[in-house]
Amino acid sequence: MKHDHTFGEEGNGPAYLTPSSTKVTPEDIRYENLRRAYNYRFAAKPDYFRLVHSPQQVEEAVREAVTARKRITVRSGGHCGEDFVAAPDVEVILDLSPMSHVGFDPERRAFVIEAGTRVGKMINDLFHHWGVTVPCGFCMGVGAGGHISGGGYGPLSRLMGLSVDHLYAVEVVVVDGDGEVSTVVATREEDDPNRDLWWAHTGGGGGNFGVITRYWMRSPEASGTDPAELLPRPPSALHIAEVSWPWERLTEADFVRLIGNFTDWQLANSAADSPDIDLYALVNCLHRSAGNIAMNAQIPADAPNAQARMDRFLEGLRAGVGVAPTVRRQSLPWLAATQYLAVPDTGPTALALRCKVKSADLRAPHGTEQLATIYRHLTRDDYRGTYAALEYIAYGGKVNTVPSGATAIPRGALLKTFYMVTWQDPAADEQHLRWIREFYRDVHASTGGVPVPNEINTGAYVNYADVDLADPEWNTSPTPWHALYYGENYPRLQEVKAKWDPLNIFHHALSVTGAA
């Protein structure tokens, strides 16, 4: 394989070697390994994969595909829940996984994160080298390319906002109306002529406008040149509570009261100035066949009255619930705690899985009828799932101090819900897909099977891609899929699409379409 050599200062030899981009065709032993990413429901079969190591190689690879009139898609971490990358008509897949550098750019006073960087590496490198972080998710194998462009949230978002709230600039390889390929850097500076492209990547989602190659991250309120002051510092340690309720002892009344207690507390403590905004929790309502309902909660260990506030939170959850939970509590240094609570990117719970996900963002709690529906689906005797669940996830806080139009991702949600089912046997596809589709439809039965924005819902989250939102069998409401993901921001996204990708080179089943 040929390499581009980059030499160290004063002829001291190579500092590093950047491999040439690699074309992997079906005859290559690597091809079969690249066909499937996280979701084994979809196996890509392109003419070739192109593994790239630099923005220049990305531009060359896009130019090659466009010149040959081949349909191209892009993969960074490979965690898309649908076949956006691996659709049957895709002829070229650009794999950015070799682009995983995290560094600091003194000229822009911002941290550079290449699009192929996994969330776990991003967290580790930012913290180890500079003692800072970006509020982001805890699925360690997710790629930065899609995670950040879709908004990006996680356990620190109530305190620090979304990932995109710290996005200073994005580098994108684009194709103009004449088929000419170029690389553009767009920043949040008000006088930047490319600012609309930056805005589109603050929640517009991946695969829409071009190929994201790099992000630059700097908090909007940061000043100076010290890298340690340009992104948020995480807590030094976290106090963690792991809680479990056994399904076999929970009645429907217990379940309804437990979830009601959790959602009521979260919504009552979701304002940015709430004294408990630093307490984050996630309740994982697994199907009864899994044995229990689980919750993890965390609070900065050095926060005022941290353990006493955790005591009050846990006591509030128990009110009116006839089953005492099992509780395990401990304090860990922040990075260790983050890794301890993380969704791993290796092992049998992370690889060779088939999956389907859905989402709904809430501004008010589910009503009694909805909770009864949730209980019914989670306790169905005609269904069993190794991992089949609905999660309630704390949200709000600083996220909602940003106006909805300031970024492409809408604001206003105080709580997130995430539906997920995973399995391994292809023969069981219909069983598991039917379960999650009927579950989600029935929870939102009063609004056409989807979370139409109203007094309870604010919509859905684009990073939890769900093609059913565009399927009239499952969305019987008059509200189109894009209104669920983008709200009133969709027309502006269409304008950006028409400007920066007028030939619609980059598209998928739920991609932004150009303005008419």
Side-chain angles (χ1 to χ4, degrees):
M1 180 184 293
K2 295 181 179 179
H3 296 85
D4 300 321
H5 290 201
T6 301
F7 291 91
E9 295 179 0
E10 299 179 3
N12 290 329
Y16 58 86
L17 298 175
T18 302
S20 303
S21 69
T22 305
K23 178 184 283 189
V24 178
T25 60
E27 297 76 27
D28 193 306
I29 62 170
R30 292 167 291 185
Y31 185 88
E32 192 62 30
N33 289 272
L34 292 170
R35 289 188 64 209
R36 291 176 175 84
Y38 171 73
N39 192 347
Y40 267 48
R41 285 174 58 208
F42 308 114
K45 199 175 180 180
D47 295 349
Y48 62 88
F49 294 87
R50 177 69 76 175
L51 277 70
V52 289
H53 302 261
S54 69
Q56 179 182 354
Q57 291 180 11
V58 172
E59 184 174 318
E60 292 168 353
V62 172
R63 184 175 294 111
E64 175 187 42
V66 170
T67 300
R69 299 183 181 276
K70 291 182 178 291
R71 187 184 169 201
I72 185 171
T73 57
V74 186
R75 174 192 293 167
S76 56
H79 274 68
C80 183
E82 300 290 358
D83 70 344
F84 293 175
V85 175
D89 64 337
V90 171
E91 297 164 295
V92 178
I93 294 180
L94 197 58
D95 191 317
L96 273 62
S97 59
M99 296 180 60
S100 59
H101 175 68
V102 177
F104 183 74
D105 180 349
E107 291 187 13
R108 288 194 170 96
R109 297 188 301 112
F111 295 90
V112 182
I113 299 170
E114 289 187 324
T117 307
R118 304 298 176 99
V119 163
K121 184 178 188 297
M122 178 177 73
I123 291 171
N124 288 338
D125 288 2
L126 288 174
F127 186 71
H128 280 142
H129 298 311
W130 299 282
V132 299
T133 195
V134 170
C136 61
F138 50 81
C139 295
M140 296 293 106
V142 169
H147 183 69
I148 294 174
S149 65
Y153 80 97
L156 292 176
S157 287
R158 282 161 56 91
L159 274 176
M160 300 176 181
L162 300 176
S163 300
V164 293
D165 295 336
H166 304 269
L167 178 63
Y168 174 72
V170 60
E171 182 178 70
V172 190
V173 174
V174 296
V175 184
D176 69 15
D178 296 321
E180 295 297 318
V181 181
S182 62
T183 302
V184 176
V185 175
T187 75
R188 67 174 176 234
E189 299 293 346
E190 294 291 343
D191 60 352
D192 185 343
N194 302 327
R195 192 177 190 275
D196 60 342
L197 188 62
W198 165 85
W199 178 87
H201 288 88
T202 61
N208 277 308
F209 310 101
V211 182
I212 303 162
T213 55
R214 292 185 287 187
Y215 296 108
W216 283 264
M217 310 298 290
R218 171 167 35 98
S219 299
E221 69 277 7
S223 61
T225 59
D226 182 358
E229 302 297 329
L230 299 178
L231 278 177
R233 293 178 182 269
S236 61
L238 294 176
H239 181 66
I240 299 167
E242 298 169 87
V243 188
S244 178
W245 292 266
W247 261 118
E248 63 181 11
R249 294 170 55 199
L250 281 172
T251 65
E252 180 174 347
D254 287 330
F255 174 81
V256 169
R257 184 63 184 269
L258 172 61
I259 301 305
N261 290 343
F262 178 81
T263 56
D264 287 348
W265 190 96
Q266 292 297 334
L267 298 177
N269 293 277
S270 62
D273 59 355
S274 166
D276 285 319
I277 200 63
D278 54 354
L279 197 159
Y280 164 88
L282 180 156
V283 172
N284 192 357
C285 302
L286 293 154
H287 186 271
R288 183 165 59 185
S289 58
N292 59 47
I293 292 174
M295 183 191 76
N296 67 68
Q298 62 186 59
I299 190 170
D302 56 358
N305 305 311
Q307 295 203 28
R309 288 193 286 136
M310 181 68 79
D311 290 341
R312 289 195 295 271
F313 170 63
L314 296 177
E315 188 61 33
L317 294 183
R318 298 187 183 107
V321 179
V323 179
T326 300
V327 181
R328 180 171 184 254
R329 294 171 64 168
Q330 61 178 319
S331 294
L332 292 171
W334 177 76
L335 188 60
T338 299
Q339 294 166 337
Y340 178 79
L341 296 171
V343 176
D345 60 353
T346 60
T349 61
L351 299 175
L353 297 176
R354 308 171 79 80
C355 77
K356 176 68 176 176
V357 302
K358 293 175 174 288
S359 68
D361 294 347
L362 308 180
R363 60 164 55 96
H366 282 143
T368 302
E369 185 174 338
Q370 287 180 296
L371 291 174
T373 299
I374 291 167
Y375 177 84
R376 174 167 57 85
H377 281 279
L378 291 176
T379 58
R380 280 174 51 176
D381 292 329
D382 63 342
Y383 175 81
R384 295 182 65 85
T386 304
Y387 189 92
L390 164 61
E391 298 177 1
Y392 285 89
I393 306 168
Y395 197 61
K398 192 168 183 179
V399 171
N400 293 330
T401 63
V402 177
S404 276
T407 57
I409 184 172
R411 310 290 171 138
L414 304 178
L415 190 69
K416 283 186 171 288
T417 58
F418 174 59
Y419 300 69
M420 183 174 189
V421 59
T422 66
W423 66 99
Q424 292 183 314
D425 183 2
D429 282 4
E430 178 58 28
Q431 170 193 0
H432 296 294
L433 289 171
R434 176 66 57 177
W435 176 80
I436 194 171
R437 284 168 169 160
E438 291 179 348
F439 183 13
Y440 187 81
R441 176 199 64 193
D442 293 351
V443 172
H444 304 103
S446 66
T447 51
V450 296
V452 174
N454 59 12
E455 68 278 3
I456 293 177
N457 310 307
T458 65
Y461 179 45
V462 71
N463 274 358
Y464 298 147
D466 177 15
V467 295
D468 296 342
L469 297 181
D471 186 340
E473 178 181 357
W474 300 105
N475 178 1
T476 60
S477 79
T479 304
W481 66 266
H482 52 77
L484 299 172
Y485 283 138
Y486 303 118
E488 296 179 356
N489 289 335
Y490 189 65
R492 184 176 175 189
L493 285 169
Q494 289 184 290
E495 293 175 2
V496 177
K497 174 74 171 181
K499 176 180 177 181
W500 291 100
D501 185 22
L503 300 179
N504 199 28
I505 298 296
F506 304 98
H507 63 273
H508 51 72
L510 295 180
S511 56
V512 175
T513 59

